[in-house]
Amino acid sequence: MIRCHSSLPSAPPLIHQRPHLSASALTRRSLLLSAATASASANSLAALSLPLPPPDITITDRVFMDFSVCPNYFRPDRTLSDDLSTLCSGEEAGSAPIGRVVLGLYGRHVPLTVSNFKTMCTDHNASSYKYTLVNKIFPGQYFLAGRQGRRDKGEVGPLPDLERNTDTVNSRAFELKHSRAGVVSLCLSENDDDEKIKMDTNYRNVEFLITTGPGPCPQLDNRNIVFGTVLEGLDVVTSIASIPTYMPSERIRQFNDLAELLGDERAQNARAMWNRPLKTVFISDCGELKVSNPTLSPTLP
């Protein structure tokens, strides 16, 4: 039998050639992967530590509100169908204008709040701000308007078509402060709408406040949504703030505090009358101001 012998040297088994290469390749790969992971983690931590950008307070929209005083609102001969539109409109009503306030709105910061506010100023129906009362004045601080309730009482009517405002659950919407006079804010913490009204499925919070100065109102910060500022008519705001309001004596306030502590529901009803203006101040007109941007580039010959 002929046996064939190869003259070529036998190669060592492959298993003895690869371990060193595989180990070194795996080690390099692991090092690269570890370095990339560490870099990504460092970048993530750096990104987390970066401060958030400040709120965008670009004025995207402008609205106006005309305020007046009505002497006929509490006439003894008024009927149940009478409201501000019938008692206080027209020259024969004798309403005295206070003046116009122009508001600039921060539509990029809180778009839904601004959109709803504009709707309330432009849709002149039973659900608008027109012919509604300034319901409370806190001297040296702010005044409230836009309370929702009965139209015959000078309040905003039902709002079934108004979009639900999700800005109220966005923490960034509360970043702006009530730092000066002329701040326009959606009233959440100081809202005094009737509890029965709030249970309605069509309820939308549209009550707003305007700070009157002279100082800031830090008690309103982080609780109400600042969405605009007074551009013109701060003197009108000051005039409204100077209107006298109903405020009980210190003794009555103490009795009220005790009644509230004991759970007497009449205490809350009594408080609803506090800080009411002694004159009928109302929004006689409101709407949007269309302002076109001026052309910045010169006209060439």
Side-chain angles (χ1 to χ4, degrees), residues 76-120:
D77 59 340
R78 64 173 295 182
T79 64
L80 292 177
S81 61
D82 286 330
D83 56 20
L84 283 166
S85 62
T86 59
L87 293 171
C88 303
S89 61
E91 296 181 359
E92 65 279 0
S95 296
I98 302 175
R100 170 169 291 191
V101 178
V102 177
L103 309 175
L105 310 181
Y106 307 144
R108 294 180 183 173
H109 177 50
V110 279
L112 283 173
T113 302
V114 168
S115 175
N116 285 351
F117 187 77
K118 281 177 55 183
T119 300
M120 295 294 298

Side-chain angles (χ1 to χ4, degrees), residues 60-289:
T60 58
D61 305 273
R62 291 171 174 82
V63 299
F64 72 90
M65 285 188 168
D66 294 336
F67 292 90
S68 300
V69 175
C70 177
N72 294 330
Y73 186 64
F74 294 106
R75 278 190 335 196
D77 59 340
R78 64 173 295 182
T79 64
L80 292 177
S81 61
D82 286 330
D83 56 20
L84 283 166
S85 62
T86 59
L87 293 171
C88 303
S89 61
E91 296 181 359
E92 65 279 0
S95 296
I98 302 175
R100 170 169 291 191
V101 178
V102 177
L103 309 175
L105 310 181
Y106 307 144
R108 294 180 183 173
H109 177 50
V110 279
L112 283 173
T113 302
V114 168
S115 175
N116 285 351
F117 187 77
K118 281 177 55 183
T119 300
M120 295 294 298
C121 290
T122 54
D123 290 350
H124 291 166
N125 50 42
S127 300
S128 76
Y129 289 134
K130 188 173 182 179
Y131 294 123
T132 59
L133 293 170
V134 172
N135 49 292
K136 286 194 176 183
I137 300 173
F138 296 84
Q141 300 180 64
Y142 58 94
F143 68 78
L144 296 174
R147 189 177 192 267
Q148 188 173 338
R150 292 169 46 184
R151 194 67 180 181
D152 61 309
K153 295 175 64 177
E155 298 168 338
V156 174
L159 306 161
D161 299 327
L162 202 66
E163 188 173 359
R164 291 191 179 275
N165 189 355
T166 56
D167 288 338
T168 58
V169 294
N170 181 0
S171 60
R172 294 217 66 191
F174 296 84
E175 291 182 352
L176 296 177
K177 308 302 181 184
H178 302 75
S179 57
R180 53 181 173 75
V183 172
V184 188
S185 179
L186 183 67
C187 185
L188 301 176
S189 65
E190 311 300 319
N191 180 286
D192 64 349
D193 287 353
D194 192 286
E195 294 299 327
K196 295 180 181 178
I197 297 292
K198 290 181 179 180
M199 295 300 291
D200 190 341
T201 56
N202 291 329
Y203 178 78
R204 304 286 188 274
N205 183 48
V206 293
E207 189 170 7
F208 67 95
L209 63 87
I210 300 179
T211 56
T212 60
C217 294
Q219 75 277 16
L220 302 175
D221 293 344
N222 306 313
R223 305 170 69 195
N224 304 279
I225 298 177
V226 174
F227 65 92
T229 184
V230 173
L231 298 177
E232 300 175 22
L234 195 56
D235 57 327
V236 177
V237 172
T238 305
S239 297
I240 295 173
S242 66
I243 293 174
T245 61
Y246 169 71
M247 196 64 191
S249 65
E250 181 64 27
R251 187 175 181 83
I252 292 178
R253 290 200 295 269
Q254 291 174 353
F255 275 124
N256 187 276
D257 291 340
L258 178 60
E260 186 178 37
L261 182 64
L262 296 175
D264 192 333
E265 295 181 355
R266 293 174 296 180
Q268 184 178 3
N269 295 332
R271 283 178 181 270
M273 298 300 297
W274 298 5
N275 295 103
R276 291 280 181 91
L278 298 180
K279 295 181 179 180
T280 304
V281 186
F282 71 104
I283 301 170
S284 53
D285 198 7
C286 53
E288 184 177 8
L289 292 175

Side-chain angles (χ1 to χ4, degrees), residues 4-12:
C4 297
H5 297 280
S6 173
S7 60
L8 295 174
S10 60

